Amino acid sequence: MFASAKEILAKAKAEKYAVGAFNVSNMEIAQGVVMAAVEKRSPLILQITESAMKYAGDKELAKIVRTVIDERSEDVPVGINLDHGKTLDLVKKAIDLGFSSVMIDGSRLTFQENKNLTKSVVDYSRQKNIPVQAELGIVPYLGELNTDQTDWSTLMTDPDKAKDFVDYTGVDFLAVAIGNAHGFFREAEVFDWARLKTINEKLGIPLVLHGASDCSVDKISKSIENGVACFNVDTDIRLAFMGQLTKMVDSKVSITDPRKIMEAVREAVKKKVVEKINIFGSSHKA
Ligand code: G3H
Ligand code: ZN
């Protein structure tokens, strides 16, 4: 059932579990994720980046994802989020394409620029009844910083600034930086739990943790205790997809039907999402 991230995340936060937001760039990933949602009766979010839109065609990908939800999700709530949107124009496009939430990522701008951009997106999205996620602090990517000497203290979300940011912009969800990192950038061994607790107490809105692929079970549960209602997962899905694809291609059996390969790949994606759902505690929350 196509649903709003607003309700999905509000329920998760209130009942102290989290949902996954899984990046999608093709039909098989979308189907694998939704099949896991149905099997586990877990609400979740499918999310699309600008580069995924460029790869698959924005309208094509949006239609594929929406159709997969409509055809397969039964009564399990599933949203479509714009992930890491960088401009108001892209947000407008995503809303026109039928997404049920958007993220505006001004995290690499100055604090004031991020505030202004986020406010303009919230003002626009409110009229369309679409909730907005913003990001404050830096959740680094591999290649962006010197990984040998990461000074996490310079990257983390400042709780007072976060309060000011949320009050000013009226944003619905906030992505925070507490030692987490994207993809293969090695995250901090210990997250700054005191900081997360303070942010949660000051803001009260659902928090989002990006770069959740490699988070330990312990980090996941402590994050949930402190207000995280959504974990963004991309790399682990890519690894599951590519791992199975490579295995199939490398096998001695000659396969001439791509469906034989992609069926197994889709199953591997589903299995990985089921694992994540079990860790996030969102089974049977539909
Ligand atoms: O926005 C997407 C994510 O933050 C994914 O991060 O690739 O480390 O799972 P990940
Ligand atoms: Zn992210």
Side-chain angles (χ1 to χ4, degrees):
M1 176 180 63
F2 185 57
S4 164
K6 184 98 180 165
E7 278 88 60
I8 294 175
L9 265 58
K11 184 172 183 293
K13 186 170 165 82
E15 296 180 19
K16 290 238 172 181
Y17 63 90
V19 296
F22 301 96
N23 287 78
V24 181
S25 54
N26 63 30
M27 182 189 78
E28 283 78 8
I29 297 178
Q31 290 177 334
V33 176
V34 173
M35 283 155 66
V38 171
E39 184 174 299
K40 298 298 295 180
R41 294 204 48 77
S42 164
L44 52 74
I45 290 165
L46 301 179
Q47 56 184 4
I48 296 174
T49 59
E50 186 173 17
S51 59
M53 288 187 203
K54 281 194 180 131
Y55 162 71
D58 51 9
K59 289 195 185 74
E60 288 154 278
L61 187 57
K63 281 185 180 160
I64 288 169
V65 170
R66 179 59 197 263
T67 306
V68 169
I69 294 172
D70 290 345
E71 294 299 319
R72 289 180 186 255
S73 64
E74 301 175 5
D75 59 345
V76 175
V78 178
I80 306 178
N81 180 49
L82 169 68
D83 189 30
H84 290 288
K86 293 280 168 39
T87 62
L88 177 58
D89 278 347
L90 186 64
V91 163
K92 287 180 178 173
K93 185 195 255 187
I95 292 175
D96 289 345
L97 288 168
F99 292 24
S100 58
S101 62
V102 292
M103 177 198 188
I104 182 71
D105 177 3
S107 61
R108 270 51 171 184
L109 305 174
T110 66
F111 180 61
Q112 194 54 50
E113 285 167 347
N114 189 358
K115 261 171 100 173
N116 294 344
L117 176 63
T118 301
K119 176 90 170 85
S120 69
V121 165
V122 172
D123 287 347
Y124 179 82
S125 304
R126 278 281 171 279
Q127 303 163 39
K128 311 278 179 180
N129 207 18
I130 295 295
V132 179
Q133 174 191 158
E135 179 167 320
L136 202 56
I138 305 277
V139 180
Y141 292 89
L142 199 61
E144 192 182 14
L145 298 168
N146 182 347
T147 25
D148 295 334
Q149 320 158 341
T150 311
D151 181 359
W152 289 103
S153 65
T154 61
L155 307 177
M156 292 195 188
T157 310
D158 179 284
D160 292 322
K161 279 186 168 174
K163 170 80 179 132
D164 173 35
F165 185 91
V166 170
D167 286 350
Y168 180 78
T169 60
V171 77
D172 301 275
F173 324 118
L174 189 70
V176 293
I178 55 164
N180 46 316
H182 280 106
F184 295 106
F185 193 113
R186 191 186 289 269
E187 66 187 26
E189 213 143 297
V190 182
F191 284 177
D192 191 338
W193 301 116
R195 182 182 298 268
L196 181 62
K197 187 169 187 290
T198 310
I199 294 170
N200 184 36
E201 284 165 0
K202 278 182 187 281
L203 307 189
I205 60 173
L207 304 175
V208 181
L209 200 89
H210 282 241
S213 281
D214 49 356
C215 275
S216 64
V217 175
D218 184 55
K219 276 177 170 160
I220 296 287
S221 59
K222 277 202 185 109
S223 299
I224 296 171
E225 264 169 48
N226 290 296
V228 171
C230 180
F231 292 101
N232 278 22
V233 177
D234 186 7
T235 302
D236 269 358
I237 301 302
R238 293 181 187 210
L239 291 175
F241 186 104
M242 291 307 297
Q244 187 62 37
L245 185 61
T246 310
K247 210 195 266 175
M248 300 295 289
V249 172
D250 284 351
S251 70
K252 299 281 174 269
V253 191
S254 130
I255 303 172
T256 52
D257 184 349
R259 291 172 294 187
K260 292 271 179 296
I261 294 178
M262 297 314 291
E263 194 174 35
V265 168
R266 180 174 65 186
E267 200 54 35
V269 168
K270 178 188 152 192
K271 207 171 141 210
K272 182 53 70 181
V273 174
V274 164
E275 263 174 42
K276 297 293 175 187
I277 289 172
N278 289 338
I279 300 170
F280 299 160
S282 58
S283 305
H284 299 289
K285 300 294 185 183

